[in-house]
Amino acid sequence: MKKSVFALIVVLVIMVGTSCVHHYPYEPDYWFQSLGDAGEYVLTADVERLKNGEGGEVVDSSLFSNPVAEKASRISLSLVVDEGSEDIYPLPLSSFVVGGAIEGSYSPFVINNTLKFSGCIKVKENGLTRYKSGAMSVYAPMKNLILFSEGDYDYLYERTIEEREKLIDDETASAMASSLFSVYVFSPETLVDIGFEIPQTVLSEMTRTCLLFDEKDGVMVMSGRIQTTGDGTARALSTLFKNQIVQEKRRNGEKLDTKALAGMFTTNESVVYIDGYPLSSTMKEKAKSLMSEGIGGLF
């Protein structure tokens, strides 16, 4: 993720804390449910749990040692491929345009006035105000929500606040919110690299993916579901995952539990189900990079 785009977020570290109790702006719905256009990666993380030390294998708790993070409860990101990106696969995080929201105990008056006196440029277009630093736009449009975008701020505001439409169903959103962090994508055009080597030919057959990362007995595990275009594709993808795990176990000289592996990756018609797969060392490294560069960069 391009570090420079987060300069405007950083100035909020100096803001005065508020004492209001945080409630989700769209309770019982989630703000991130209005994300999820075709090809858009949605990442959401439970900052409160991360601050409490959960997920230590992939998240450095020092990321949250400042006033903004202290009052944050959830952060959600929209990652869209930059049109000017290199033609490589999978793409690095720096090739994505980022937008999203930080939810927590925030006062719009305090945040927006902090931005006002920080030297950032105040911009008002199409009736919407925001503060800009370089490509990044930031504003607190309502209580307990900081909205930011290095792309089209107006579009992000309209589709997530002014003209909300739920693109992520309630069951999926609830599962995402219940995990430490999660990734959702509909009709992916490329991959955010999480350690699985999925050929582009297979990627084109994936229609909807939701991966949930959580801690179980002190170990980071991945669960979720990948919807594909057909039964054969689902079986092939499940076999691909299993083969990659077998190969990594052999390279590392680790014992392979074939019975447990069979239960971790199953199929039902066109859907691949993942249940409690312990992250490999490669996946932990990829997940840590995703959290540090993506979410950590905002704090």
Side-chain angles (χ1 to χ4, degrees):
M1 197 70 69
K2 298 182 282 290
K3 293 183 179 179
S4 60
V5 303
F6 300 115
L8 194 50
I9 293 285
V10 173
V11 303
L12 293 176
V13 173
I14 64 173
M15 75 179 186
V16 178
T18 61
S19 58
C20 59
V21 176
H22 170 238
H23 297 284
Y24 289 107
Y26 297 98
E27 203 167 26
D29 295 343
Y30 298 93
W31 176 84
F32 65 80
Q33 283 186 264
S34 56
L35 301 176
D37 283 336
E40 175 184 28
Y41 274 82
V42 181
L43 188 153
T44 187
D46 188 329
V47 178
E48 291 184 334
R49 290 179 61 190
L50 293 172
K51 286 187 295 187
N52 289 333
E54 295 185 64
E57 287 186 289
V58 297
V59 181
D60 186 346
S61 60
S62 65
L63 294 175
F64 309 107
S65 58
N66 64 69
V68 175
E70 286 175 2
K71 295 188 174 296
S73 59
R74 173 166 299 281
I75 184 168
S76 302
L77 299 181
S78 157
L79 302 174
V80 180
V81 178
D82 190 337
E83 292 182 358
S85 297
E86 297 180 64
D87 187 18
I88 57 177
Y89 175 87
L91 286 173
L93 286 175
S94 59
S95 296
F96 290 84
V97 176
V98 65
I102 302 174
E103 297 173 63
S105 298
Y106 302 119
S107 159
F109 175 81
V110 172
I111 291 171
N112 294 331
N113 271 279
T114 301
L115 290 166
K116 178 180 179 180
F117 294 107
S118 69
C120 300
I121 299 173
K122 184 177 182 180
V123 177
K124 188 171 184 178
E125 298 174 345
N126 304 318
L128 295 178
T129 301
R130 81 294 306 267
Y131 288 89
K132 295 196 70 173
S133 176
M136 181 64 80
S137 297
V138 181
Y139 198 69
M142 60 173 59
K143 184 178 180 181
N144 300 330
L145 185 77
I146 302 172
L147 193 69
F148 56 89
S149 176
E150 64 167 321
D152 190 338
Y153 177 90
D154 291 357
Y155 177 59
L156 182 65
Y157 176 88
E158 288 170 3
R159 70 188 177 113
T160 63
I161 296 177
E162 189 173 52
E163 300 176 4
R164 282 182 63 82
E165 178 184 353
K166 286 200 296 187
L167 300 182
I168 301 177
D169 65 87
D170 291 341
E171 182 180 359
T172 300
S174 179
M176 293 173 68
S178 298
S179 63
L180 270 177
F181 62 96
S182 55
V183 177
Y184 172 94
V185 61
F186 168 63
S187 189
E189 297 174 355
T190 186
L191 284 179
V192 172
D193 192 358
I194 58 169
F196 278 128
E197 298 175 6
I198 301 177
Q200 283 183 292
T201 53
V202 176
L203 180 72
S204 65
E205 301 296 319
M206 293 164 56
T207 59
R208 198 178 304 271
T209 299
C210 181
L211 299 178
L212 313 171
F213 299 84
D214 221 321
E215 195 171 74
K216 182 178 180 181
D217 298 326
V219 177
M220 285 299 301
V221 299
M222 180 179 72
S223 300
R225 55 182 289 166
I226 301 174
Q227 190 171 339
T228 71
T229 56
D231 299 17
T233 303
R235 290 193 296 271
L237 186 57
S238 176
T239 300
L240 175 66
F241 287 154
K242 292 174 184 176
N243 287 342
Q244 288 186 11
I245 293 169
V246 169
Q247 292 170 13
E248 179 162 1
K249 292 285 187 182
R250 287 174 176 170
R251 283 196 303 268
N252 297 334
E254 299 175 3
K255 183 179 179 181
L256 180 65
D257 188 336
T258 54
K259 184 177 180 180
L261 180 60
M264 289 176 190
F265 295 90
T266 59
T267 63
N268 183 4
E269 297 182 341
S270 62
V271 181
V272 178
Y273 292 93
I274 306 170
D275 183 19
Y277 166 62
L279 299 192
S280 66
S281 56
T282 299
M283 293 188 71
K284 289 177 187 177
E285 181 181 333
K286 298 292 185 182
K288 192 164 188 175
S289 175
L290 181 65
M291 296 297 288
S292 298
E293 294 183 46
I295 290 178
L298 292 166
F299 293 129

